[in-house]
Amino acid sequence: MSHQRIPKRRTALAAGGVLALGAAAILLPHASASQDGASQDGASQGAATAPRTLGATDAPGLAAQLAGQLGDAFAGSYYDSAGRRLVVNVVPDGDGTAAERAKRAGAVVREVDNSMTELDAGTRTLTAEAAVPGTSWAVDPRTNKILVTADSTVTGDRWNRLESTVRGLGPGLATIRKSQGTFRTFASGGDAIFAGGSRCSLGFNVTAGDGTPAFLTAGHCGVAAEQWSDTQGGQPIATVDQAVFPGAGDFALVRYDDPATVAPSEVDLGEATLAISQAAQAAVGQEVFRMGSTTGLADGQVLGLNATVNYPEGTVTGLIQTDVCAEPGDSGGAMFTRDGLAIGLTSGGSGDCTSGGETFFQPVTTALEAVGATLGDAGGEQAGGEQAPGAGGEAGAGQEPGGDGTGDRAGGAETGAGRDPGAGTGQDSGPAGTH
């Protein structure tokens, strides 16, 4: 899979058509497993051991089902995008009952050594003994190990502490790798939504619990300033209602000050929009796209779930780890699928869109549940559930690269970090329909 930077000014169509990105034409969407008929109704009696063909958004449901059924034998799962199969790790249970049950459910079974109990205990040990800034960890079901990453600032005693902790977990439980970049929230000054010298981006438009329009963005944006404008130095259009960062996530709910604000459910790709139908959970191995005001549209895949990241500002838990690139100015931007499902909000990471790196995202489903909001209009259903298409995504378009706009914009919360705070001034950086 490519992980290229795709300028936002190139054309794109809404979900159900084709996302045309320069010379590349990406079919949108692929046939979804939830619409595949007989292949999606579970393993039939006549084909009990045949792996099911399913879409990435259906994989988390089957994985959760098997996690409950297999108990201690379940050791994680991931989505094989090439074969459109769910691969389930199973710790041998002697009589093969767990493996057979997973096969009957339609999963591809892989026997592994490390149980989820052991892997979870290892992540707790890392949190207790090695939570130094510049480190992260998440269970990687494809290797059946904990993937520990240290950025370029982790040296000397901090590196020794981390390495010693990993070694103390025992052989075969964790791997450690160095990242050339530095873990940070992707903050920048310049465009999108503004608060004094800070800029961030809308992630997805939502409806607050009382039925008023609002949007989700990164929590480190929400704690940086209370009121946000859609133009540099302009009048505030929205006020932070709730924000979490650091801690159990990186998300904020920001309410539009005008209750009549039109907040469409879409990702603005510059010259066209992608309709967002609902929120969905991520699956390891899943293809995802990210929109950011600095780097435009980028793609990649999910590498890990429930990741812990130790930013300089503090530890954040429960994030999605990906190899989608991002740079300063991309914080708060939307991560989504080609068929219009909202997956995450850009939090931070390391690297850039030239050399690559790691990027972490706040799960949208968790944020919606925490703030009591729904994705879409007031008539939509609850977070993560089925919702009417066209209810609640993001907005704002028309900026050039360097302050270039997209509906699901990104940005940072730290004053002037990484970009000229004046960049993008006078651009239409707010949500569509708010002017």
Side-chain angles (χ1 to χ4, degrees):
M1 175 179 293
S2 65
H3 308 291
Q4 72 272 24
R5 169 180 171 177
I6 308 172
K8 285 184 280 190
R9 289 180 293 171
R10 296 183 179 178
T11 304
L13 295 182
V18 173
L19 194 59
L21 306 169
I26 303 176
L27 292 180
L28 200 164
H30 286 316
S32 172
S34 61
Q35 300 172 359
D36 282 346
S39 65
Q40 294 313 301
D41 59 4
S44 67
Q45 294 298 320
T49 60
R52 288 171 54 182
T53 299
L54 73 167
T57 54
D58 297 300
L62 179 57
Q65 170 190 328
L66 288 172
Q69 292 178 352
L70 303 185
D72 292 341
F74 179 82
S77 64
Y78 62 94
Y79 182 65
D80 173 11
S81 58
R84 300 185 68 208
R85 302 285 193 265
L86 178 70
V87 180
V88 172
N89 294 334
V90 174
V91 177
D93 56 0
D95 60 4
T97 301
E100 184 60 29
R101 178 172 292 180
K103 290 178 181 177
R104 286 201 305 269
V108 175
V109 174
R110 188 178 69 145
E111 291 191 350
V112 296
D113 295 327
N114 297 321
S115 69
M116 283 306 300
T117 299
E118 293 169 321
L119 293 167
D120 288 342
T123 61
R124 290 194 295 271
T125 298
L126 287 164
T127 299
E129 300 180 9
V132 298
T135 59
S136 72
W137 42 82
V139 172
D140 180 1
R142 288 169 296 189
T143 62
N144 186 231
K145 296 179 181 180
I146 304 167
L147 175 61
V148 180
T149 305
D151 73 13
S152 59
T153 67
V154 182
T155 59
D157 290 343
R158 295 200 298 173
W159 170 259
N160 293 337
R161 174 181 170 187
L162 179 65
E163 190 176 41
S164 174
T165 304
V166 170
R167 189 167 52 247
L169 297 178
L173 192 65
T175 59
I176 188 170
R177 61 182 294 270
K178 288 283 287 185
S179 172
Q180 294 183 351
T182 302
F183 286 163
R184 65 200 188 282
T185 53
F186 288 122
S188 185
D191 62 2
I193 54 173
F194 305 85
S198 302
R199 94 171 154 90
C200 283
S201 291
L202 282 82
F204 297 98
N205 283 323
V206 298
T207 301
D210 62 358
T212 59
F215 62 84
L216 294 176
T217 190
H220 61 267
C221 302
V223 300
E226 182 179 4
Q227 292 186 304
W228 292 85
S229 172
D230 59 353
T231 58
Q232 180 75 31
Q235 291 297 312
I237 64 164
T239 302
V240 175
D241 182 81
Q242 302 177 53
V244 173
F245 179 83
D250 184 2
F251 58 90
L253 177 71
V254 187
R255 293 177 183 263
Y256 289 107
D257 295 334
D258 182 357
T261 296
V262 177
S265 181
E266 60 192 27
V267 174
D268 188 334
L269 300 172
E271 294 181 357
T273 58
L274 173 67
I276 298 296
S277 60
Q278 65 184 70
Q281 295 180 351
V284 172
Q286 178 181 19
E287 175 194 52
V288 287
F289 295 85
R290 175 200 53 74
M291 204 67 196
S293 62
T294 296
T295 58
L297 184 63
D299 70 302
Q301 65 174 312
V302 175
L303 300 180
L305 305 177
N306 197 30
T308 295
V309 185
N310 297 294
Y311 291 124
E313 299 91 341
T315 298
V316 180
T317 60
L319 301 183
I320 302 168
Q321 183 171 355
T322 78
D323 63 1
V324 184
C325 73
E327 297 181 6
D330 287 335
S331 279
M335 181 170 72
F336 52 92
T337 66
R338 63 173 66 240
D339 50 351
L341 299 178
I343 301 294
L345 306 165
T346 306
S347 173
S350 68
D352 54 40
C353 287
T354 300
S355 61
E358 302 81 21
T359 303
F360 301 92
F361 294 82
Q362 165 66 45
V364 171
T365 52
T366 305
L368 288 170
E369 182 178 3
V371 301
T374 57
L375 184 67
D377 298 330
E381 296 184 13
Q382 289 301 315
E386 294 294 326
Q387 297 159 25
E394 190 343 44
Q399 296 175 330
E400 299 296 319
D404 88 294
T406 79
D408 286 5
R409 334 197 106 68
E414 298 177 9
T415 305
R419 290 174 60 85
D420 177 3
T425 302
Q427 309 270 359
D428 174 11
S429 56
T434 61
H435 299 287

